[in-house]
Amino acid sequence: MQQDSSGGIYIKISLDNNQLRADVVQANNIMKGVGDSVARESKRVDSYMSNIGKGIAAAFTLSTAQQFISQVVRVRGEIQALESSFTTLLGSKSRGDAMLAEIRKYAVETPYDLQGVAKGAQTMLAFNIEAEKIIPILKQVGDVAMGDGQRMQSLILAFSKMSSTGKLMAEDLNSMIDAGFNPLVQISEKTGQSITSLRGIMEKGGISVEMVAQAFTDATSEGGKFYGMMEQQAGGIQGSLAGLEDAWVNFYNEIGE
């Protein structure tokens, strides 16, 4: 601020051209850095979105997005409940997660849904069937039930109850027969004993869990009546649709995680 000869006061502004140029360069560098950061973040987001399905965000309306989120929350909640259940039943998270992974794989590859297969495994564990036997039994019973979820549950319950008593009893036998499998027929074919004779042995407590388990094994092994049943079922339209549905369940769960 200075005073002129007439007594007026004026403000003198002096610009340093070199400093101004430096400030402009600095400002440009800052903006470039911001732009680069935005570009990098955009690429990261794009990469993440592609991992959960390319183009999925662009295809969503608000309504479908809400439905999608609801499905993700519902499915993830169900899987978490199963994870907790198997952790408790097996006394170990690692063992529980390992069994659930096998169950999910089996559900995708067969006409059975995840909840049904998991329920069967839970039933057997609740009846104290050894953990290492669960998946093999599930697969054998699954073949015998020929893709019918209700029959599968009936066979599993009858097998589990028989396992808890250590022998085949009339009630469990009748439940198995109602579900489409008579283990005495299989035992008869293998041993040559008549069904009548085997029933008499059963009434005396002579048909053990091991004998019935072997009957399931024989019926589902090569040459058995139910051998490869799930492979055949999975190749049909119903099996394919069921597998697709379970694949979507896995997809929703992975996003939920």
Side-chain angles (χ1 to χ4, degrees):
M1 181 180 294
Q2 297 182 6
Q3 187 174 26
D4 61 14
S5 59
S6 64
I9 296 174
Y10 65 94
I11 297 173
K12 180 180 180 181
I13 299 174
S14 177
L15 295 177
D16 185 330
N17 287 340
N18 291 332
Q19 182 60 44
L20 179 60
R21 290 191 187 94
D23 290 343
V24 170
V25 169
Q26 184 180 14
N28 284 337
N29 288 338
I30 291 172
M31 293 304 296
K32 184 177 184 299
V34 171
D36 290 344
S37 178
V38 170
R40 286 195 302 270
E41 190 64 13
S42 296
K43 288 181 180 178
R44 188 187 70 80
V45 172
D46 287 344
S47 176
Y48 178 76
M49 288 302 294
S50 68
N51 288 336
I52 63 171
K54 291 181 179 178
I56 201 168
F60 280 165
T61 63
L62 177 60
S63 174
T64 56
Q66 289 173 335
Q67 293 173 8
F68 179 79
I69 292 170
S70 295
Q71 281 288 81
V72 169
V73 172
R74 179 186 65 80
V75 170
R76 181 59 192 146
E78 291 175 353
I79 299 296
Q80 283 182 318
L82 289 176
E83 289 171 346
S84 298
S85 171
F86 283 103
T87 294
T88 301
L89 288 168
L90 292 169
S92 164
K93 178 169 174 52
S94 60
R95 294 179 67 198
D97 288 348
M99 179 170 288
L100 184 56
E102 290 191 75
I103 287 170
R104 289 169 63 183
K105 182 175 183 294
Y106 180 69
V108 170
E109 295 173 347
T110 67
Y112 300 111
D113 62 75
L114 174 60
Q115 291 292 339
V117 179
K119 180 182 177 182
Q122 290 168 333
T123 297
M124 287 189 279
L125 288 170
F127 276 92
N128 295 318
I129 294 177
E130 295 92 329
E132 62 271 14
K133 294 182 179 179
I134 299 298
I135 300 301
I137 293 173
L138 273 174
K139 292 179 177 180
Q140 291 173 355
V141 171
D143 279 345
V144 171
M146 297 184 292
D148 188 310
Q150 186 174 349
R151 290 172 64 183
M152 183 185 195
Q153 296 302 325
S154 296
L155 287 169
I156 286 174
L157 180 58
F159 189 95
S160 299
K161 290 168 66 177
M162 174 196 68
S163 298
S164 69
T165 60
K167 57 187 176 182
L168 181 65
M169 301 181 71
E171 180 183 357
D172 301 327
L173 174 64
N174 290 335
S175 295
M176 291 183 188
I177 292 173
D178 289 342
F181 182 66
N182 187 343
L184 297 186
V185 171
Q186 193 66 43
I187 295 172
S188 175
E189 291 177 357
K190 186 173 182 178
T191 64
Q193 294 176 278
S194 68
I195 302 295
T196 301
S197 173
L198 289 171
R199 277 188 172 274
I201 295 172
M202 179 190 70
E203 290 169 1
K204 296 177 183 178
I207 303 296
S208 67
V209 173
E210 290 74 22
M211 293 171 67
V212 176
Q214 187 59 50
F216 273 92
T217 298
D218 293 339
T220 55
S221 297
E222 187 171 2
K225 181 178 181 180
F226 301 98
Y227 174 67
M229 186 61 70
M230 281 305 91
E231 292 180 6
Q232 298 176 38
Q233 293 280 345
I237 184 64
Q238 292 298 329
S240 298
L241 289 173
L244 179 60
E245 183 177 350
D246 284 316
W248 273 107
V249 168
N250 285 340
F251 172 71
Y252 289 134
N253 179 63
E254 287 171 6
I255 294 178
E257 288 179 329

